[in-house]
Amino acid sequence: MVNNKVVATPMNVNEKFCCDDGAKLANETYFRSLVGGLNYLSHTRPNIAFSVGVVSRFMHKPSKLHFGAAKRILRYIAGTTGHGIWYSKVSNFRLIGFTDSDWAGSIDDRKSTSGFMFNIGSGAISWSSKKQKVVALSTSEAEYIATTSSACQVVWLRRLLADFN
């Protein structure tokens, strides 16, 4: 991976993966090791959380396509080593949150993915991207489920901030 070209995004836009894609199987040990490292890295890089979540769904039976997607995330990281979360002193110290979901994004089980991110001041403090536990019957329902999980997180964050005054 030393001389590979860097990419601008961690995943191809609108790329969908499934368990039985017809491609040859990849080395499970290498794939699991790579995805485990990416998962660890996503604790400080919220911009790869969704992509790492997608490739981690195929730990039990990774194909060459799944391995290629994981290597693409590495190529993205190689081009964005200067990116990170920067916390600086700000006068407007407010909790701001964003949430979104897709609808039936998983080809295998038609489940949606929820995501949220919360900032305080100048940097992100909490983020998540995970597959929803239920199958949403509409985009509105998928958004409602995502908003509910975000609301639970913001209630906890507000209580935590109240403890800090």
Side-chain angles (χ1 to χ4, degrees):
M1 301 274 320
V2 173
N3 295 321
N4 283 343
K5 289 185 357 181
V6 297
V7 292
T9 59
M11 283 184 72
N12 288 326
V13 179
N14 295 325
E15 187 172 24
K16 305 276 186 188
F17 295 105
C18 62
C19 287
D20 297 321
D21 55 14
K24 288 185 177 181
L25 294 179
N27 185 318
E28 292 180 7
T29 304
Y30 291 146
F31 183 79
R32 290 176 183 151
S33 177
L34 172 58
V35 174
L38 290 172
N39 192 22
Y40 183 75
L41 185 61
S42 71
H43 289 37
T44 58
R45 298 282 302 261
N47 53 340
I48 64 169
F50 173 76
S51 304
V52 172
V54 169
V55 296
S56 68
R57 296 175 189 167
F58 306 102
M59 298 286 262
H60 61 283
K61 191 178 166 187
S63 72
K64 297 279 186 183
L65 294 175
H66 304 137
F67 194 71
K71 286 179 18 179
R72 180 185 172 93
I73 299 170
L74 281 180
R75 291 174 37 212
Y76 171 74
I77 291 168
T80 59
T81 55
H83 289 105
I85 302 172
W86 183 259
Y87 300 102
S88 60
K89 185 176 180 179
V90 294
S91 59
N92 190 7
F93 194 73
R94 294 182 359 166
L95 177 63
I96 299 172
F98 305 93
T99 185
D100 196 13
S101 71
D102 70 349
W103 180 51
S106 174
I107 294 174
D108 294 320
D109 57 9
R110 307 304 294 168
K111 289 185 179 177
S112 307
T113 302
S114 297
F116 64 77
M117 180 192 236
F118 291 99
N119 297 332
I120 291 184
S122 65
I125 59 157
S126 177
W127 58 88
S128 173
S129 175
K130 61 172 47 174
K131 189 190 279 190
Q132 294 178 354
K133 295 179 181 177
V134 297
V135 177
L137 300 178
S138 67
T139 55
S140 298
E141 185 178 358
E143 293 286 346
Y144 181 75
I145 293 166
T147 304
T148 303
S149 67
S150 300
C152 292
Q153 183 70 12
V154 78
V155 166
W156 179 80
L157 286 170
R158 287 181 60 132
R159 289 180 180 167
L160 185 66
L161 288 172
D163 288 345
F164 293 150
N165 287 331

